[in-house]
Amino acid sequence: MAGVMSAPERIWTAALIVIGDEILSGRTQDKNVAQIAAWLNVQGIRLREVRVVADESDAIVEAVNTLRARNDYLFTTGGIGPTHDDITVDAIAMALGVDVEIHPQAREMLQGYYETRGGLTDARLRMARVPAGSDLIENRMSGAPGIRHGNIFIMAGVPHITAGMLDMLTGTLEGGRPVLSAQIGCWVAESEIADLLAATERAHENCQIGSYPFFREGKTGANFVIRSTDPASLELCVAELSSRLEEGGWPVVTGGI
Amino acid sequence: MAGVMSAPERIWTAALIVIGDEILSGRTQDKNVAQIAAWLNVQGIRLREVRVVADESDAIVEAVNTLRARNDYLFTTGGIGPTHDDITVDAIAMALGVDVEIHPQAREMLQGYYETRGGLTDARLRMARVPAGSDLIENRMSGAPGIRHGNIFIMAGVPHITAGMLDMLTGTLEGGRPVLSAQIGCWVAESEIADLLAATERAHENCQIGSYPFFREGKTGANFVIRSTDPASLELCVAELSSRLEEGGWPVVTGGI
C-alpha cells in the first residue's frame, strides 16, 4: 500500500435543499449547488446530498427533517422573498415545531433599507419573519437577511446574494481539513484505462479518483480528479497515476485538458 | 372567481436522481436538471423532485426506492461509464432486488462501436451490464446505451449524450397535458406588488404565478411566470396580471425583461 496513512478523521457533512418551482420547471439553471459545494470544501465540510423541492410545504418539511438529522449542517436556498410563493420560513418553522416571529433586528435592517425605497410595507415585513430562536446572516446586497437556526442556514435563491451571505459565514463553521484536489488530463478513452484507474485508487486508500470523459476537437479524452484531505497522499497518488499513464503511452497534461 | 374551470386532471410526475461526486464537489455545473425538466414538460410530465447523490451504493439505493414508489417515472443521470466510480447499474439492480446481467443487444452495439476503436475490452463490456429485465435506450452519440427498467430511465451524465437519449424517448411516455407558461416583466420591486400577485393567483385557480426578482442596470425588476395546463386560463391570467400592473403604474414587458 502506497500513500501516507493518517489517523481516521472526523468528516463534517452538509446537505443542501434547493427550494423553487423555477428550478424544477427548467426555467432557471441552478447555480447554488456548485457555489455552495465549492465554498463548503474550503470550510472543510463535504456536501453529501442535495435535494431540489417545489414551493410546497410538505416537500420542504420532509427534506428538512430528513437531512438535518443526518448531516452536521443543512443549507437551504430560495423562497425567502416577499411574495406568496415564498414559504421557506413557514415550512422550516413547521419542520422544527417552532413559531414564526418577526426578528426585531431584521425589521430594523429592512426599515433602514426601505427608508428611501417607499417604506416598509406588510409584504416587505414578511422578510423579517424567522423561525423562533433564529439568528440573522447579514445581507450586504439587498435588504432581507439570511437566517441561521441551529445547524440550519436559510439563504437567498439569487446566487450573488447567496454569495454575499456565504462570505459572512466564512470561517465561522467548524469543519475538518479541506478536501484538496488535483486534476490531470489525457487524450485517451477512459474505457482503455479503467483498470489502471481502479488499481491506482486501490493503492492510495485515502485518495479518490474521479474520471470525467469528454469529446473535443474530434478526439476522445478524459480528465482525472484526485481528491484527498492529505497533501502528501494527494501528491503521491497524482505522481503514480501520471507515471502509469505515461508508461501506457498517454502523455499527461497537468491541470487537465 | 375568474379563470376557466376544468375537470381535475391526472398529473403525471417524475423524479430525477443526479449521481456523481463531481456535482457535489462543485467541480461540474449540472445541466441535466434543466434539460430533463424542460423535456418532461413537453411530454406532459412534471418534474416533482430532484436528488443529487454521491457515487455511493447506499445513497443511490435509498433515493431510487423512495422516488420510484411515489412518481410515475424516475430518471437517473451519471455513473454508467466503464470506470470504477460507475456504480449506477449495480446500485439500481440492488434497489430493485434483481441481478445484473450483460444485455446481448448492448454487447452487440458496443462490439460494433469499438470494432475500429481497439476492440471490446472487459472494461468496455461493463457498459453492456443492465439490471435483469431491462430494455435499452439507443445512444447515437457514443457506444454505451441508456437503460429502461419499468418506470426507471438510466441516462448518461454527459449532457449532450443525455439529450440524444431524450430524443429517442420523445413521445413514448404517457403524460398529461403539457404545462404551458408565459412570462411578463416589470421594472418594479417584487415587494411592492406582492399583494397584487397573490390576489391575481387566488383569482385564477388553475394557474400558478412565480415571481423572480433581479437587479440589472442599477435597477430593481422582476419577471413573472404564469403556468397552467389550460391555454384559455393562462391567457386570462396573463391579461389580468398585466392590466393590474399597468394600472399600478408599472409598464409590462411581454416575454419578460
Side-chain angles (χ1 to χ4, degrees), chain B residues 66-156:
Chain B
T66 304
L67 299 184
R68 74 188 175 105
R70 67 187 187 195
N71 289 282
D72 296 304
Y73 304 104
L74 172 63
F75 286 73
T76 72
T77 60
I80 62 168
T83 58
H84 64 283
D85 53 346
D86 292 307
I87 62 166
T88 296
V89 165
D90 300 82
I92 292 179
M94 192 182 299
L96 299 174
V98 302
D99 289 336
V100 172
E101 60 184 28
I102 298 281
H103 194 291
Q105 199 190 337
R107 182 208 289 262
E108 244 171 65
M109 286 175 177
L110 290 165
Q111 250 157 358
Y113 183 79
Y114 285 113
E115 197 166 5
T116 58
R117 292 176 174 87
L120 187 54
T121 59
D122 280 353
R124 287 166 172 172
L125 191 57
R126 271 180 63 82
M127 296 187 281
R129 298 166 74 249
V130 302
S134 295
D135 296 316
L136 303 180
I137 304 167
E138 198 187 327
N139 168 4
R140 286 170 298 184
M141 310 285 168
S142 55
I147 300 162
R148 175 179 186 160
H149 191 290
N151 69 340
I152 304 178
F153 298 80
I154 305 171
M155 320 285 279

Side-chain angles (χ1 to χ4, degrees), chain A residues 179-200:
Chain A
V179 176
L180 307 171
S181 71
Q183 180 169 266
I184 60 178
C186 263
W187 292 104
V188 62
E190 61 167 5
S191 59
E192 290 192 63
I193 42 87
D195 293 345
L196 185 163
L197 290 178
T200 310

Side-chain angles (χ1 to χ4, degrees), chain B residues 180-214:
Chain B
L180 308 171
S181 72
Q183 179 169 268
I184 60 177
C186 262
W187 291 105
V188 63
E190 62 167 3
S191 59
E192 290 193 62
I193 41 86
D195 292 344
L196 185 162
L197 289 179
T200 309
E201 190 184 74
R202 272 197 307 274
H204 295 264
E205 65 173 25
N206 47 9
C207 294
Q208 293 85 43
I209 303 177
S211 171
Y212 307 108
F214 59 82

